[in-house]
Amino acid sequence: MDPAWDEFIITGEPFILAGQIAILVTTIGIIFILTYFKKWKWLWNEWITTPDHRKIGIMYIIASLLMMIRAGVDAMMMRTQLAAPNMPFLGEAQHYNEIFTTHGTIMIIFVATPFLIGLMNVAVPLQIGARDVAFPFVNNLSFWTFFWGAMLFNISFVIGGAPDAGWSAYMPLASNDLSMGPGQNFYLLGLQISGIGTLATGINLVTTIIKMRAKGMTLMRMPMFTWTTLITSLIIIGSFPILTVALAMQTFDRLWDAAFFTLQDGGMPMMWVNLFWLWGHPEVYIVILPAFGIFSEIITTFARKRLFGYTSMVFAIAAISGLSFLVWVHHFFTMGAGPMVNSFFSISTMAIAVPTGVKIFNWLATLHRGRIRFNVPMVWALGFIPNFTIGGVTGVMLAMAAADYQYHNTYFLVSHFHYVLIAGTIFGCFAGTIYWWPKMFGVKLNERLGHWVFWLFMIGFNVTFFPQYFLGLDGMPRRIYTYFPEDGWFSLNFLSTVGAYMMGFAFVLLVYNMYYSYRYEKRETSGDAWGGRTLEWATSSAIPPHYNFAQIPEVKDQDAFWQMKQEGVDPNGVEEYQDVHMPNHSGNPFVMCVFMFIGGFGLVFHWWTIGIIGALGIFACMIQRSFSRDDGHIVSAEEVRKEEAEIREGQANENG
Amino acid sequence: MVMLLGGCNLRVLDPQGTVGEQQRDLIILSIIFMLIIVLVVFILLTYFLVKYREREGHRGYDPDIDGSVKLEVVWTVVPIIIVTILSVPTVYTIFNIEEVPEANTEEEEPLVIHATSANWKWIFSYPEEDIETVNYINIPAERPVLFRLTSADSMASFWVPQLGGQRYNMAGMQTELYLQAGEEGTYYGRNANFTGEGFAEMRFDVNAIDETEFNEWVTDVQEEAPQLTQETYDQFMVPGHVEEYTFSGTHLEWVDHALDPEYALEARARQGYEPIHPHASEAPDDVPTWDIDVDTDVTERQESYIEENQESDSHHHHH
Ligand code: HEM
Ligand SMILES: [Cu+2]
């Protein structure tokens, strides 16, 4: 492919031009600031090359928030376009199609998934009393594959043109015959690159949780968030390879005419649909189970009670993860596979509602006889319960295949998955971020602003999506860029757009609160910001020292730290300090992933030379890593003792 | 909300045929169950939050409760019962709507219509009657209709909300869908599955008319509409929109897209059509609406059909 210049750099669209200018200005701005304040070295040494799980987690969260801004702007543009019939806002269908495609793909792949992985990185090693994850080098590599994969996907809208076949990229629509240009290639290669990291993270976290728990932490004493992380990682290991293979097959179709899913030469488009949802349905559970875990942590902390029905919670998530591989056909009941097949998948899908229901009632029972405090993380968790329930019951309605023939592909479906994804995953990401914010930055987010954000966002969310159930029942399909006055969909759509702006405003306020709190809020003095129950709150300082625990605490209870506090045990009362073994920094993953980006970019445009340069670079990095000895380094007992003494001194000064 | 549901000006909840009615009944049943569940959750949540919020004179705090086998069994078994109850009508309806819908007409045999999607238009063939229409269909009210669905290119979904749920059109495949219109009227039909640029406008009208009127129309078309030729037909394979058209003869004589998924691409190539990069400077801003070159001598008749159909389509079926 040799694109003409007008096909390479996208021109002639005012919004894209604005995007190009914004990218240019931001890039120049960042380079200027880093150079002016002499921060390049700091950035490289402290962040880019870090093996530290907490810092990697923070980078995941920041990158996900940036991606959320990008996809959120997409959402605002879509809602503006749909606010009234025949809106001229976006001009033509093509632009809208690109926007809804990038919105969906980014929100699932580059927001929900990495955001949760970021929170896992921050919290899980601390929760199990570990010093880091099992493979810190791989952890850094995972982050950079996500980051560079996301960059490759994101530049498509200014270079070459964005993909426009939907986040599900159905064939044959996404084939060369029906989707010209490199847009779809960006989707395939961007997702492929970041998928490597997700799979590696799954393996990394399973190993960490299985092998590195503190003494006394049996499986059935693990905190709920650790449990959901473990199960989620297992789902990742089971499902991401399917995506990898499916993406590779479509890539071969588009780059080398392999005809796996094409119209010609006996391709089977339906096979893509199956493979996509064989990954796609487990993926939606990958992004909800960790959120369930976060809510369990928060609800027990602020109701100040043990989790009700711990064992049944564990069995519920295990059941959900098993079932999540047995329901994929519910995404295409309308393919006409026959009444037996549809009946089977209707029932298996409805069965998922059972363990989900068990969880909802266990959370409710946890509130019973509690002493509930309404801190901001808690209001998000409490908001989750009723809103997610609405999403769940409409899921059951969709599961009834005969009825789904009427909901499928409509705004009813759109509303369902936003009720579960926003009220579940996004509420969970926000709640978790606010809850663990003091662990990351040593300061709480301002509570007054926080409550405003919650109410604006939650009300805006309902104003946006509740009307969409009715639009769906009135026959409005998803993914249309406009409609006609005769359709009678104006007022509900308008309402929906108003709600979307409310959510947008609330999000801006949330980001502002991060800045505001960093400037003005009181610093935390102890490691236990909320009266926590699990080990991440048992660290000696607000931001844990880089080795997490001077001495790994011994666990005697499900609520390990809470039990220590009950019995007056000081987890940091170390008698004899010992040497600590920590991983080394490495710039290798960053460089390797830059080569992935370069190679991917080459393939997008069929520029084989660049593709080969990328591949050679990747191999060179692998070889470099394979032949270098890296056993980490030892932090001596003396250094640990000094650092702990300093922490204690600092706390004494603050308090006195 | 109950008002909104009961109001029934929503197309799916206001079906005009037996298939859609079965689906509506299933939907209403599920909504009732779901409302009860939502209500239980909302009430318990509100009650616990009010009662156990931290306050002066707080009572009943017990931090060590960690479960109750009895309660946990209750909220495992009750959802199982609900799901079981919902499964029965679901499975029944799934099987039932694969059967010929009941109808009180003499004509028991369903009318067969092949509905073929092609970016971004609908082509309907009546094999028994040997006629073909584009972007609209006439069907006899009451009589069941069997749609045989396929696609010339991307996957579409054939949907007439007031008559019943949708089903996919896929190239190289044939799927089937029974529908029936209980009342005369014009119903809004469309493609519900995203197929690219022209997707939003990929609609058609379903005119359910009296049986005798339908038969007259068929005879009229057979005698007076232009004969569909392969050359004419191939023009429909080029991506774009078209107005409504009516022909005698069907394209099934030379192609069934369910058996030949490559036909449309070949027809495009024959006419020298090449896809354009959507951001190229020569790319059109809007999806083009093509004028199909129909054999000339009968075009006048053709135009009058278009006019008639446009008249009926200007008042959409609204309650
Ligand atoms: C009670 C549990 C749930 C049930 C029974 C359920 C059922 C369904 C069904 C049947 C569909 C397909 C509908 C159609 O395409 O016509 C669907 C779509 C979807 N669901 Fe759920 N669901 C549940 C929970 C969730 C959760 C927890 C998430 C994610 C957080 C989720 C995310 C989605 C998404 C993203 C789609 C649509 C994807 C697309 O077509 O673009 N669902 N759900
Ligand atoms: Cu699913």
Side-chain angles (χ1 to χ4, degrees), chain A residues 328-523:
Chain A
W328 80 98
V329 170
H330 69 216
H331 291 278
F332 45 92
F333 280 141
T334 49
M335 199 179 262
M340 267 320 275
V341 173
N342 281 0
S343 298
F344 174 85
F345 284 96
S346 274
I347 294 170
S348 66
T349 305
M350 280 196 267
I352 291 200
V354 175
T356 315
V358 169
K359 292 189 73 77
I360 297 271
F361 282 98
N362 277 338
W363 284 313
L364 285 173
T366 305
L367 297 172
H368 180 244
R369 307 201 65 168
R371 234 166 79 200
I372 303 166
R373 282 186 183 157
F374 294 91
N375 294 81
V376 178
M378 185 64 165
V379 290
W380 285 104
L382 294 173
F384 149 79
I385 293 177
N387 287 299
F388 182 84
T389 303
I390 295 175
V393 296
T394 50
V396 175
M397 292 171 69
L398 288 161
M400 302 164 71
D404 176 72
Y405 305 157
Q406 287 283 31
Y407 310 130
H408 183 54
N409 272 331
T410 72
Y411 266 85
F412 190 94
L413 168 66
V414 173
S415 191
H416 155 69
F417 69 71
H418 283 90
Y419 263 85
V420 280
L421 280 167
I422 294 183
T425 306
I426 299 297
F427 279 25
C429 288
F430 288 169
T433 307
I434 299 165
Y435 181 60
W436 284 307
W437 194 262
K439 263 303 111 187
M440 294 186 266
F441 300 105
V443 60
K444 280 182 193 162
L445 290 177
N446 180 284
E447 289 257 314
R448 216 166 63 92
L449 273 170
H451 278 103
W452 273 101
V453 172
F454 168 75
W455 285 104
L456 279 169
F457 195 87
M458 202 272 283
I459 294 170
F461 160 67
N462 277 285
V463 173
T464 310
F465 291 103
F466 203 68
Q468 294 185 359
Y469 286 122
F470 299 96
L471 285 170
L473 290 175
D474 203 21
M476 180 170 170
R478 70 196 290 201
R479 295 175 171 175
I480 52 172
Y481 81 104
T482 197
Y483 50 93
F484 306 124
E486 313 86 89
D487 293 326
W489 300 327
F490 168 50
S491 32
L492 289 178
N493 268 299
F494 188 78
L495 195 62
S496 185
T497 302
V498 172
Y501 281 112
M502 269 176 87
M503 292 171 78
F505 177 67
F507 180 73
V508 172
L509 209 57
L510 174 73
V511 174
Y512 171 72
N513 194 9
M514 293 174 179
Y515 162 79
Y516 176 89
S517 306
Y518 189 75
R519 291 286 310 257
Y520 302 113
E521 284 295 296
K522 205 168 102 287
R523 307 290 117 166

Side-chain angles (χ1 to χ4, degrees), chain A residues 493-564:
Chain A
N493 268 299
F494 188 78
L495 195 62
S496 185
T497 302
V498 172
Y501 281 112
M502 269 176 87
M503 292 171 78
F505 177 67
F507 180 73
V508 172
L509 209 57
L510 174 73
V511 174
Y512 171 72
N513 194 9
M514 293 174 179
Y515 162 79
Y516 176 89
S517 306
Y518 189 75
R519 291 286 310 257
Y520 302 113
E521 284 295 296
K522 205 168 102 287
R523 307 290 117 166
E524 286 299 312
T525 51
S526 85
D528 187 13
W530 306 105
R533 311 174 68 81
T534 39
L535 285 185
E536 75 266 38
W537 306 107
T539 56
S540 58
S541 56
I543 301 177
H546 66 106
Y547 46 79
N548 288 353
F549 300 95
Q551 176 184 304
I552 304 296
E554 195 177 329
V555 174
K556 300 212 172 76
D557 194 290
Q558 264 162 27
D559 299 272
F561 184 43
W562 184 73
Q563 179 259 354
M564 290 179 193

